[in-house]
Amino acid sequence: MTSPVIHRLEVVEGAGGQIKSHSILCIPSSLPKSTPNHSQTSGYYNIAMFDVSGSMNGVWKSVMQHWNNEVAPFLTGETDIYTFGTQVCFRRKETHLTQRDFDCSSTNLAAALSTINDRVRHCIQNNVRILLITDGHHNCGGSPDHKIAQMSVPFGKTVEVYLLGEGQSFPVQYSVDIRSGLHNGSASCPIIFWDRYSSDAEVLDEMKNICEEIVTGMVRVKLSLPGKVVPLTEETKLESRGGEYVYYETDPEQLISTLKFTTEDGVHIPLQVSATFCILINALIVDHTCHLAALTYVWMKIIRDYPAINRPQLFEKRISDLEATAKIYMDRPGIVNYVSSLVKDPPQALMTESGPFNDGVLNCESIIKPAFFTHLCKHQIRQSAQLPSLLKLILAEFLGRCLSSYTSRYPLMELLMTDFNEDARKEFRATITDVSWHS
């Protein structure tokens, strides 16, 4: 997306239930015929802090290689490279890493956080990027929690936090708390970039994601009308960053005729209107994945409460709108991969977290997810020989999730089996699906 898009949000107001149309303006992550100007690229200070403790030994080569190739070339402004093990060491005023930077010592995360906080406060630049790569296994020095509690954004500065957590045991709360204390940059930037399995491919993907967010963060735009930061608050703004959302209590047709959208270097960008429902419990979250999940839950509630026979026309229209909106996301790589798994390997698609599939990992957070996509892609799935297997598995998995722990990757087998090895799982599922397993 290179043009700003206005999404329609239907809101019920007042005791009488009057429906009004509000607007959500989506700021693009890149802009046509315009590149960041000198003021956007030169006035940055980057502090890059790397964990070089012994527990990072298995992943350091990948971190070094993919940092140098994917992130370092895009760091504009001034950069300081630091590493931390037992102590924090300043390495160089450049963007690249070397193998000699790794010292395989202990992990003094508290000292690293103290150095970050000090540099943010004392650097002369008003735009600061913090890039922290660690597995979070603090084992020497003071308390990281105490240092995090001292973090705050200095007046007049904009700070962006990019934290790459290594390994499944990374303490995610550290990332949440550090961002809460120091990040006041783009609201679209993820709280954590997480390499859960410490693999080279995952490190590469997350470094690419960090680079993409850095480039997006350099996009800044001016709005002719003040918009709210989030619904139900009074805070407004006239400037926004790439990937962010701005909320207006105005009908999209009215807004598009009055709102002007320009880049910092004065380039005017036309607006687009896209009709969609954004049904969220938390007004602070506007996210593609969250939006799609909300659509699936509303879809399920409607078909449960209003069966197809004698369904009111209002809800027929609502289902049509929900499905049309969901199809906007069907070309996203994660969705393409998931639908492919429904066709080719239904057992993988129904795991809460699968093994590798098409160079990715599948997640079935709710049993509504496969039911919804089976309906949405029914013409494609009907041609698959796996359809009877898929329908039986959805029913079996529903029963399993109702009766056992949600934390298991195989909740149905965990409930009904005592022999819990891979061969036994395959044999048990074959008895449910009446299909032969492939290797």
Side-chain angles (χ1 to χ4, degrees):
M1 180 182 68
T2 56
S3 296
V5 176
I6 298 176
H7 297 281
R8 181 187 304 275
L9 179 64
E10 304 293 342
V11 178
V12 178
E13 294 185 347
Q18 183 181 4
I19 297 178
K20 291 188 177 181
S21 292
H22 290 183
S23 303
I24 295 179
L25 173 65
C26 178
I27 309 299
S29 56
S30 61
L31 299 173
K33 300 180 181 179
S34 177
T35 56
N37 60 28
H38 180 76
S39 65
Q40 289 176 296
T41 59
S42 62
Y44 276 92
Y45 171 65
N46 309 295
I47 175 169
M49 182 72 70
F50 296 87
D51 185 344
V52 292
S53 62
S55 56
M56 291 284 290
N57 183 54
V59 76
W60 173 255
K61 182 178 179 181
S62 296
V63 168
M64 178 185 67
Q65 176 185 347
H66 298 315
W67 167 273
N68 288 340
N69 293 338
E70 304 298 334
V71 180
F74 293 89
L75 290 180
T76 56
E78 178 184 351
T79 302
D80 285 343
I81 297 288
Y82 287 85
T83 61
F84 70 99
T86 305
Q87 298 177 332
V88 176
C89 297
F90 171 73
R91 296 296 183 177
R92 62 191 63 86
K93 270 195 172 298
E94 296 179 16
T95 60
H96 69 279
L97 294 170
T98 70
Q99 184 59 41
R100 293 189 301 273
D101 294 333
F102 188 76
D103 64 15
C104 201
S105 56
S106 299
T107 310
N108 194 343
L109 181 58
L113 297 175
S114 179
T115 300
I116 289 173
N117 204 27
D118 180 72
R119 294 303 302 132
V120 170
R121 291 182 178 278
H122 292 99
C123 69
I124 61 174
Q125 293 87 345
N126 288 330
N127 295 302
V128 183
R129 299 188 189 104
I130 298 169
L131 302 110
L132 174 61
I133 290 85
T134 179
D135 60 14
H137 295 169
H138 175 78
N139 55 21
C140 71
S143 167
D145 293 324
H146 177 68
K147 299 300 180 182
I148 293 173
Q150 296 176 333
M151 289 180 163
S152 62
V153 178
F155 177 77
K157 292 190 176 183
T158 300
V159 182
E160 302 165 15
V161 177
Y162 305 90
L163 195 156
L164 174 57
E166 287 292 339
Q168 283 189 302
S169 60
F170 176 81
V172 177
Q173 191 61 44
Y174 279 165
S175 181
V176 174
D177 294 342
I178 291 170
R179 180 186 171 94
S180 297
L182 274 182
H183 184 97
N184 67 338
S186 174
S188 67
C189 181
I191 292 175
I192 182 174
F193 300 85
W194 198 353
D195 171 23
R196 298 191 185 198
Y197 301 104
S198 299
S199 68
D200 181 77
E202 272 200 305
V203 174
L204 174 59
D205 288 344
E206 294 307 324
M207 289 295 186
K208 287 181 176 179
N209 291 338
I210 290 173
C211 175
E212 181 179 341
E213 289 297 331
I214 288 174
V215 173
T216 297
M218 289 191 289
V219 174
R220 299 180 192 176
V221 298
K222 296 182 180 297
L223 308 170
S224 62
L225 298 175
K228 290 189 174 184
V229 177
V230 293
L232 307 178
T233 66
E234 298 303 321
E235 182 183 359
T236 62
K237 59 182 178 180
L238 283 166
E239 183 176 288
S240 191
R241 291 170 175 261
E244 291 185 336
Y245 294 82
V246 185
Y247 185 76
Y248 290 92
E249 296 176 350
T250 307
D251 185 274
E253 278 72 21
Q254 179 182 349
L255 184 64
I256 199 171
S257 65
T258 55
L259 180 63
K260 305 300 180 185
F261 179 93
T262 57
T263 64
E264 282 198 330
D265 47 359
V267 177
H268 173 71
I269 305 297
L271 290 163
Q272 300 177 11
V273 175
S274 174
T276 180
F277 294 94
C278 189
I279 308 165
L280 302 172
I281 296 174
N282 187 342
L284 300 179
I285 300 174
V286 180
D287 178 79
H288 288 125
T289 304
C290 186
H291 185 195
L292 186 55
L295 294 172
T296 64
Y297 275 86
V298 175
W299 172 82
M300 177 59 73
K301 188 176 189 310
I302 292 173
I303 64 173
R304 182 198 68 184
D305 294 346
Y306 302 94
I309 299 176
N310 299 324
R311 179 179 292 149
Q313 184 62 34
L314 168 65
F315 291 100
E316 286 286 1
K317 175 66 165 56
R318 181 60 57 87
I319 286 179
S320 176
D321 289 340
L322 290 169
E323 293 175 358
T325 302
K327 289 179 180 178
I328 296 173
Y329 302 114
M330 295 305 294
D331 61 350
R332 297 176 70 83
I335 301 301
V336 172
N337 199 33
Y338 189 78
V339 173
S340 175
S341 71
L342 288 173
V343 175
K344 298 178 180 178
D345 196 347
Q348 288 264 50
L350 269 70
M351 292 181 185
T352 52
E353 182 174 327
S354 76
F357 184 86
N358 289 350
D359 299 323
V361 175
L362 304 171
N363 294 103
C364 183
E365 303 88 343
S366 165
I367 205 66
I368 296 174
K369 182 176 181 178
F372 179 76
F373 283 113
T374 298
H375 168 74
L376 202 64
C377 305
K378 54 181 177 289
H379 298 298
Q380 177 182 351
I381 294 177
R382 277 175 180 168
Q383 300 174 9
S384 169
Q386 297 277 23
L387 179 59
S389 165
L390 174 60
L391 297 178
K392 291 178 182 179
L393 277 172
I394 290 176
L395 178 58
E397 195 71 13
F398 171 74
L399 294 174
R401 293 192 184 203
C402 288
L403 298 172
S404 68
S405 169
Y406 289 102
T407 60
S408 170
R409 290 176 61 190
Y410 307 91
L412 179 60
M413 277 78 75
E414 182 180 69
L415 176 72
L416 301 176
M417 296 177 61
T418 55
D419 185 4
F420 198 59
N421 57 52
E422 187 64 28
D423 290 338
R425 283 195 292 266
K426 291 182 178 181
E427 182 179 353
F428 178 73
R429 269 199 158 139
T431 65
I432 297 175
T433 60
D434 298 321
V435 297
S436 59
W437 285 82
H438 55 273
S439 59

